[in-house]
Amino acid sequence: MGKKGKAAARERREHRRQEVTLLRAVPYEPSQRWWDGLAPARAVAVVTGANRGIGYEISRQLALHGLHVVLASRDAERGLEAAERLLREVAGVDVEWRQLDVTDAASVEAFAAWTARTHGGIHVLVNNAGVNFNRGGDNSVQFAEQVIETNYFGTKRMIEAMTPLFKPSPYGGRIVNVSSRLGRADGRRNRIGDAILKEQLLTDDCLSEELIDGVVMKFLEQVKQDSWSSIEWPQMYTDYSISKLAVNTYTRLVARRLSDRPEGQKIYINCFCPGWVKTAMTGWEGNISAEEGADTAVWLALLAQEEATIGKFFAERREISF
């Protein structure tokens, strides 16, 4: 892309950013606030990785809209401080903290059991917990196993554990997976080099857990053998990109499984890219705030049932390609 093309792209992004800022300022109409229809109970939302950054901001915005939010995080001290900060700074919100390590099956099981016992179930799940150890032009795969274990297998583990806990509701449940444009199978900068594998990943009828797990395990095995190639795999932040490719693909697979649930038991699952956000994960090098980055997640979580979609990928409140 030449200088003119890059300038035009920046202009389009900034224009959309301003549009979304205006949309975010528009209050929900009473008819759109499906969660109010659950009164006297409050809708229960679980947000993982919620002690800072996008996860904290998603929690804050959902709480401001009137949901009861469970801020889940691995770090107890930071998680408790985040919940206390919200309660201290935002009047009237209903939040609490609970320990959760998405990389630990026992921790996820204990969290699910606590949620069922304490709240009887949930209405919204936002899978935000994630890591990325690369910055700037770096592309190390030193921590590839940890990245994929957290970002993909952690998300998968939470969906498997929490899906049975969604409360029956005429409005449906919501699962929102935080992902990235870097996880596109055929992106402009990042893509899968194997044309056959790329076609399989983009074809819904070909999707299976075995296929998705096989892709990430193949990459991890090549990392161990020091035989991986940027020709075969995404070129930028390779381990992170593959983890998000797996999240995107798994979102579509789960959507297919959930699509035939009867009325009253619907669950709408989607993923989104928050953009390049100024958080600790980006080394504070992003170009948008956490408040802006959280917006599409909150929008997807709160969509009215008649507008709800399933198995799609979004950015700036617009559907984008996988």
Side-chain angles (χ1 to χ4, degrees):
M1 183 183 293
K3 289 184 179 180
K4 288 185 178 179
K6 290 180 179 179
R10 282 196 299 270
E11 186 176 337
R12 288 194 300 270
R13 285 196 300 269
E14 181 58 28
H15 178 68
R16 182 56 184 170
R17 180 183 178 183
Q18 293 174 6
E19 287 181 336
V20 173
T21 298
L22 293 174
L23 289 171
R24 195 163 60 249
V26 177
Y28 285 83
E29 296 290 336
S31 61
Q32 297 174 309
R33 295 175 59 91
W34 59 264
W35 54 100
D36 287 346
L38 302 171
R42 289 204 188 200
V44 177
V46 168
V47 183
T48 70
N51 62 288
R52 65 180 187 179
I54 296 172
Y56 177 84
E57 186 58 34
I58 291 170
S59 300
R60 188 186 72 84
Q61 293 184 30
L62 289 175
L64 278 172
H65 283 295
L67 284 74
H68 175 89
V69 181
V70 179
L71 287 80
S73 71
R74 180 175 52 83
D75 188 302
E77 182 178 353
R78 291 178 179 176
L80 281 168
E81 194 282 328
E84 291 170 358
R85 176 182 162 197
L86 265 181
L87 290 168
R88 185 172 62 249
E89 295 181 357
V90 187
V93 296
D94 190 4
V95 302
E96 63 182 320
W97 172 80
R98 190 70 181 178
Q99 198 278 335
L100 171 67
D101 181 353
V102 300
T103 69
D104 182 346
S107 177
V108 172
E109 183 179 348
F111 180 87
W114 171 84
T115 303
R117 188 170 61 250
T118 306
H119 296 290
I122 64 172
H123 302 89
V124 174
L125 170 63
V126 181
N127 287 305
N128 168 73
V131 294
N132 177 25
F133 294 94
N134 285 304
R135 300 285 186 274
D138 297 340
N139 192 28
S140 169
V141 293
Q142 179 182 355
F143 301 103
E145 189 168 352
Q146 184 178 345
V147 170
I148 287 172
E149 179 63 38
T150 304
N151 298 0
Y152 169 54
F153 286 112
T155 294
K156 181 179 176 182
R157 200 171 282 122
M158 283 299 293
I159 291 172
E160 290 173 344
M162 302 301 288
T163 297
L165 300 185
F166 273 84
K167 294 184 179 183
S169 165
Y171 312 105
R174 311 288 191 279
I175 300 175
V176 181
N177 295 328
V178 180
S179 191
S180 171
R181 288 182 177 91
L182 293 176
R184 283 171 156 170
D186 193 22
R188 180 171 56 84
R189 290 184 298 174
N190 266 14
R191 64 186 64 199
I192 295 293
D194 184 328
I196 295 176
L197 176 58
K198 179 167 48 181
E199 183 65 23
Q200 289 176 327
L201 292 171
L202 290 172
T203 304
D204 285 351
D205 289 343
C206 294
L207 294 184
S208 67
E209 285 190 48
E210 292 75 18
L211 174 65
I212 303 168
D213 290 358
V215 169
V216 298
M217 296 310 294
K218 177 183 178 182
F219 170 68
L220 289 176
E221 184 60 32
Q222 290 183 3
V223 168
K224 288 179 182 179
Q225 296 175 356
D226 197 26
S227 62
W228 73 279
S229 167
S230 61
I231 296 175
E232 181 177 3
W233 301 108
Q235 297 77 39
M236 183 176 181
Y237 298 168
T238 303
D239 54 4
Y240 179 81
S241 297
I242 290 173
S243 75
K244 293 305 187 179
L245 169 67
V247 167
N248 289 349
T249 312
Y250 188 67
T251 299
R252 289 165 45 222
L253 177 63
V254 174
R256 193 171 65 187
R257 293 173 177 171
L258 296 175
S259 61
D260 60 354
R261 288 172 71 98
E263 292 297 327
Q265 298 181 33
K266 297 287 188 185
I267 300 176
Y268 303 100
I269 181 171
N270 296 283
C271 54
F272 85 104
C273 175
W276 197 29
V277 183
K278 296 175 184 176
T279 64
M281 182 179 285
T282 65
W284 308 102
E285 295 177 348
N287 53 22
I288 62 173
S289 67
E291 180 181 1
E292 292 171 298
D295 174 75
T296 299
V298 175
W299 173 72
L300 285 169
L302 300 183
L303 271 179
Q305 186 186 23
E306 57 269 23
E307 300 175 19
T309 185
I310 186 168
K312 304 298 184 183
F313 189 20
F314 291 87
E316 295 91 36
R317 299 196 183 194
R318 284 179 173 171
E319 185 180 344
I320 60 176
S321 67
F322 283 100

Coordinates of all heavy atoms in Angstrom, one line a residue, residues 34-44 66-68 94 123 167 171:
W34 N -32.9 -5.2 27.1 CA -33.4 -6.5 27.4 C -33.1 -7.0 28.8 O -33.9 -7.7 29.5 CB -32.9 -7.6 26.4 CG -31.4 -7.7 26.4 CD1 -30.6 -7.2 25.5 CD2 -30.6 -8.5 27.3 NE1 -29.3 -7.5 25.8 CE2 -29.3 -8.4 26.9 CE3 -30.9 -9.4 28.3 CZ2 -28.2 -9.0 27.5 CZ3 -29.8 -10.0 29.0 CH2 -28.5 -9.8 28.6
W35 N -32.0 -6.6 29.4 CA -31.6 -7.0 30.7 C -32.5 -6.4 31.8 O -32.6 -7.0 32.9 CB -30.1 -6.6 31.0 CG -29.8 -5.2 30.8 CD1 -29.7 -4.2 31.7 CD2 -29.5 -4.5 29.5 NE1 -29.4 -3.0 31.2 CE2 -29.3 -3.1 29.8 CE3 -29.5 -4.9 28.2 CZ2 -28.9 -2.2 28.8 CZ3 -29.2 -4.0 27.2 CH2 -28.9 -2.7 27.5
D36 N -33.2 -5.3 31.5 CA -34.1 -4.8 32.5 C -35.4 -5.7 32.6 O -36.1 -5.7 33.6 CB -34.6 -3.4 32.1 CG -33.5 -2.3 32.3 OD1 -32.5 -2.7 33.0 OD2 -33.6 -1.2 31.8
G37 N -35.6 -6.5 31.5 CA -36.8 -7.4 31.6 C -36.6 -8.6 32.5 O -37.5 -9.3 32.7
L38 N -35.4 -8.7 33.1 CA -35.1 -9.8 34.0 C -35.4 -9.4 35.5 O -35.3 -10.2 36.4 CB -33.7 -10.2 33.9 CG -33.2 -10.7 32.6 CD1 -31.7 -10.9 32.6 CD2 -33.9 -12.0 32.2
A39 N -35.8 -8.1 35.7 CA -36.1 -7.6 37.0 C -37.1 -8.5 37.7 O -38.0 -9.0 37.0 CB -36.5 -6.1 36.9
P40 N -37.0 -8.6 39.0 CA -36.1 -7.9 40.0 C -34.7 -8.3 40.0 O -33.8 -7.7 40.6 CB -36.8 -8.1 41.3 CG -37.4 -9.5 41.2 CD -37.9 -9.5 39.8
A41 N -34.4 -9.5 39.3 CA -33.0 -9.9 39.3 C -32.2 -9.1 38.3 O -32.8 -8.5 37.4 CB -32.9 -11.4 38.9
R42 N -30.9 -9.0 38.5 CA -30.0 -8.4 37.5 C -29.4 -9.4 36.6 O -29.1 -10.5 37.0 CB -28.9 -7.6 38.2 CG -29.3 -6.4 38.9 CD -28.2 -5.4 39.1 NE -28.5 -4.3 39.9 CZ -27.9 -3.1 39.9 NH1 -26.8 -2.9 39.1 NH2 -28.2 -2.1 40.8
A43 N -29.2 -9.1 35.3 CA -28.4 -9.9 34.4 C -27.0 -10.1 35.0 O -26.4 -9.1 35.4 CB -28.4 -9.4 33.0
V44 N -26.5 -11.3 34.9 CA -25.1 -11.6 35.4 C -24.2 -11.7 34.3 O -24.4 -12.5 33.4 CB -25.1 -12.9 36.3 CG1 -23.7 -13.2 36.7 CG2 -26.1 -12.8 37.5
G66 N -26.1 -1.4 34.2 CA -27.0 -2.1 35.1 C -26.9 -3.5 35.3 O -27.7 -4.2 36.0
L67 N -25.9 -4.2 34.7 CA -25.7 -5.6 34.9 C -24.9 -5.8 36.2 O -24.1 -5.0 36.6 CB -24.9 -6.2 33.7 CG -25.8 -6.4 32.4 CD1 -26.1 -5.1 31.7 CD2 -25.1 -7.4 31.5
H68 N -25.1 -7.0 36.8 CA -24.2 -7.4 37.8 C -23.0 -8.1 37.2 O -23.1 -9.0 36.4 CB -24.8 -8.5 38.7 CG -23.9 -9.0 39.8 ND1 -23.8 -8.4 41.0 CD2 -23.0 -10.1 39.8 CE1 -22.8 -9.1 41.7 NE2 -22.4 -10.1 41.0
D94 N -22.9 -2.7 40.5 CA -23.1 -4.0 41.2 C -22.0 -4.9 40.6 O -22.1 -5.5 39.6 CB -24.4 -4.5 41.0 CG -24.7 -5.7 41.8 OD1 -23.9 -6.1 42.7 OD2 -25.8 -6.4 41.7
H123 N -25.8 -14.7 32.2 CA -26.5 -14.2 31.0 C -25.4 -13.8 29.9 O -25.7 -13.8 28.7 CB -27.4 -13.1 31.3 CG -28.5 -13.4 32.3 ND1 -28.3 -13.2 33.6 CD2 -29.7 -13.9 32.1 CE1 -29.4 -13.6 34.3 NE2 -30.3 -14.0 33.4
K167 N -28.6 -19.0 31.9 CA -29.9 -19.1 32.4 C -30.9 -19.0 31.2 O -30.7 -18.3 30.3 CB -30.2 -17.9 33.4 CG -29.4 -18.0 34.7 CD -29.8 -16.8 35.6 CE -29.1 -16.9 36.9 NZ -29.5 -15.8 37.8
Y171 N -34.6 -13.6 26.1 CA -33.7 -12.6 25.4 C -32.4 -13.3 24.9 O -31.7 -12.7 24.1 CB -33.3 -11.5 26.3 CG -34.6 -10.9 27.0 CD1 -34.8 -11.1 28.3 CD2 -35.5 -10.1 26.3 CE1 -35.9 -10.6 29.0 CE2 -36.6 -9.6 26.9 CZ -36.8 -9.9 28.2 OH -37.9 -9.4 28.9

